């Protein structure tokens, strides 16, 4: 049996294809935590005194990031609060909420559960039933926009200075490829470890797991005995993101470093893209809800108008 290349003692549970490292359970947990904390410092995602709102779905990525950020909370560097958004997806979200609550309670972190219904008078299932005849927008389009709106609103309600999301390397690579393929340059310039805006109502979002693969996040929660919500959203399968995700996964089988190189390449191109597109993306205030908007109405209010 192979021995861990770090401690030289325990049996190996993972071979990191990108670095060639063979790691045992303890060394894998330690080195993953160290890597995430190093990335937080490297990209200056958090500063002392920050209050971080964690977008806690109950899935592996959000549970993992809450547990790692809790290290900084216990060192009195930051304060944490978690929020779980109930989109109203029957048969799916209920379990995620229970698991999210258990994980937050275990660490003694304040946890709020907020719903689409509360903020938009409708849940996602109802929106999808109603919009079938009108147009063909995918559930994820509504869900993404409305969740972002709620996160920013809850962050303000909680006086949070950052919003941490569980986006991992697979998610980030998918976003890069998707937006390239769709020619969506404005969206591309917004991809990165931390969102940037000088607009005071816009609470910056950070992605501490941006350089952790989905597989590593899965293994981390198993190795750490963390309970997570494993079911997939019923709306996820037929999305464009799902298709792109399968394409990248297939490529990674024969090219194990492809996601890292996509990310590194993109991070080099991004400043050039931003310079070229710098005249765009001026933020104003939505005249209906007061949240940040690119035009008169924010996207969430534009959707809400359509349901009236
Ligand atoms: Fe929302 Fe789409 Fe994610 Fe389901 S897969 S939770 S609909 S964004
Ligand atoms: Zn070891
Ligand atoms: Zn609005």
């Amino acid at each position: 049996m192979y021995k861990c290349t770090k401690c030289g003692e325990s049996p190996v549970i993972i071979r990191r294809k990108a670095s060639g490292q063979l790691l045992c359970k303890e060394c894998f947990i330690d080195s993953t935590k160290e890597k995430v904390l190093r990335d937080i410092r490297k990209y200056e995602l958090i500063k002392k005194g920050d209050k971080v709102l964690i977008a806690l779905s109950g899935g592996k990525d959000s549970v993992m990031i809450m547990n790692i950020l809790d290290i900084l909370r216990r060192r009195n560097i930051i304060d944490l609060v978690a929020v779980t958004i109930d989109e109203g997806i029957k048969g799916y979200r209920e379990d995620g909420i229970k698991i999210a609550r258990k994980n937050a309670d275990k660490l003694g972190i304040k946890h709020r559960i907020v719903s689409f219904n509360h903020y938009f008078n409708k849940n996602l299932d109802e929106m999808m039933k109603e919009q079938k005849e009108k147009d063909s927008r995918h559930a994820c389009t509504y869900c993404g926009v409305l969740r972002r709106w709620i996160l920013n609103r809850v962050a303000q309600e909680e006086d949070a200075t950052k919003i941490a999301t569980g986006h991992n390397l697979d998610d980030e690579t998918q976003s890069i490829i998707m937006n390239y393929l769709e020619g969506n340059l404005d969206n591309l310039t917004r991809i990165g470890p931390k969102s940037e805006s000088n607009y005071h109502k816009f609470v910056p979002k950070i992605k501490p797991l941006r350089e952790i693969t989905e597989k590593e996040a899965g293994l981390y929660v198993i190795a750490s005995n963390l309970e997570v919500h494993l079911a997939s959203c019923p709306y996820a399968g037929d999305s464009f993101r799902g298709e792109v995700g399968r394409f990248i996964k297939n490529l990674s089988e024969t090219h194990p470093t492809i996601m890292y190189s996509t990310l590194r390449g993109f991070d080099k191109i991004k400043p050039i893209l931003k310079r070229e597109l710098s005249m765009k993306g001026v933020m104003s205030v939505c005249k209906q809800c007061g949240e940040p908007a690119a035009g008169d109405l924010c996207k969430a209010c534009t959707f809400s108008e359509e349901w009236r």
Side-chain angles (χ1 to χ4, degrees):
M1 185 181 285
Y2 287 115
K3 289 277 164 70
C4 172
T5 44
K6 213 168 167 207
C7 66
E9 285 174 14
S10 308
V12 168
I13 63 156
I14 186 172
R15 176 174 185 271
R16 283 208 166 119
K17 283 187 185 166
S19 64
Q21 260 184 329
L22 300 167
L23 295 174
C24 73
K25 186 164 125 178
E26 291 309 319
C27 291
F28 168 70
I29 293 174
D30 286 349
S31 74
T32 307
K33 269 186 212 162
E34 278 163 25
K35 158 110 183 92
V36 175
L37 294 173
R38 209 166 45 238
D39 285 347
I40 289 174
R41 285 194 298 273
K42 179 171 155 194
Y43 296 108
E44 299 177 340
L45 302 187
I46 283 173
K47 60 178 193 304
K48 192 170 166 53
D50 265 337
K51 182 172 184 183
V52 182
L53 176 76
I54 301 166
L56 181 68
S57 66
K60 61 182 183 332
D61 307 300
S62 63
V63 170
M64 175 178 175
I65 193 56
M66 181 168 70
N67 274 266
I68 295 181
L69 290 181
D70 192 52
I71 299 170
L72 300 179
R73 183 181 75 113
R74 280 185 279 114
R75 289 184 196 154
N76 288 320
I77 296 171
I78 58 168
D79 194 9
L80 287 180
V81 54
V83 62
T84 303
I85 300 175
D86 181 1
E87 306 91 346
I89 305 172
K90 204 167 181 314
Y92 165 68
R93 179 49 71 209
E94 300 87 342
D95 286 348
I97 292 173
K98 277 188 216 141
I99 294 168
R101 171 55 51 103
K102 268 199 220 169
N103 276 288
D105 285 353
K106 209 163 82 187
L107 300 173
I109 293 172
K110 178 182 172 185
H111 180 225
R112 280 182 62 184
I113 299 164
V114 299
S115 68
F116 275 20
N117 224 346
H118 173 74
Y119 288 104
F120 302 106
N121 295 318
K122 241 186 229 335
N123 67 38
L124 190 64
D125 284 342
E126 290 167 341
M127 290 172 199
M128 291 318 291
K129 247 184 238 149
E130 285 179 24
Q131 72 100 51
K132 247 181 196 148
E133 299 93 48
K134 280 192 259 162
D135 57 43
S136 59
R137 268 197 208 107
H138 194 274
C140 298
T141 307
Y142 291 117
C143 193
V145 166
L146 302 184
R147 270 201 318 212
R148 270 196 297 279
W149 187 98
I150 291 178
L151 280 178
N152 202 58
R153 177 56 66 92
V154 174
Q156 292 170 71
E157 289 168 3
E158 294 293 330
D159 288 323
T161 48
K162 300 274 163 64
I163 299 169
T165 62
H167 290 91
N168 58 39
L169 179 62
D170 297 51
D171 300 324
E172 197 75 340
T173 317
Q174 284 162 20
S175 299
I176 294 168
I177 303 292
M178 271 171 69
N179 283 299
Y180 267 131
L181 293 177
E182 290 175 322
N184 209 336
L185 300 184
D186 268 354
N187 277 2
L188 269 178
T189 61
R190 282 193 278 271
I191 295 174
K194 147 169 102 173
S195 60
E196 298 146 32
S197 169
N198 294 326
Y199 185 55
H200 71 285
K201 277 204 154 194
F202 188 85
V203 183
K205 291 205 191 67
I206 56 169
K207 297 175 189 163
L209 301 187
R210 189 177 184 249
E211 297 189 13
I212 300 291
T213 64
E214 187 174 25
K215 193 176 159 199
E216 284 173 321
L219 196 56
Y220 183 91
V221 295
I222 293 170
S224 309
N225 279 326
L226 295 170
E227 188 185 355
V228 299
H229 187 215
L230 292 170
S232 346
C233 173
Y235 294 116
D238 55 346
S239 66
F240 183 48
R241 178 176 283 277
E243 278 182 66
V244 171
R246 285 189 289 279
F247 163 72
I248 298 169
K249 245 193 194 101
N250 284 341
L251 265 183
S252 298
E253 291 292 320
T254 40
H255 307 275
T257 56
I258 201 85
M259 288 195 284
Y260 295 99
S261 53
T262 304
L263 191 83
R264 297 274 174 259
F266 170 73
D267 284 351
K268 281 184 201 150
I269 294 170
K270 187 180 155 183
I272 304 163
L273 261 181
K274 278 194 83 170
R275 252 197 327 270
E276 289 297 315
L277 300 170
S278 60
M279 65 297 290
K280 291 190 179 172
V282 180
M283 276 287 176
S284 62
V285 181
C286 171
K287 63 180 184 194
Q288 199 146 294
C289 71
E291 291 291 314
D296 278 352
L297 285 184
C298 71
K299 273 194 189 163
C301 287
T302 310
F303 288 156
S304 301
E305 286 283 297
E306 290 174 13
W307 303 316
R308 275 172 215 280

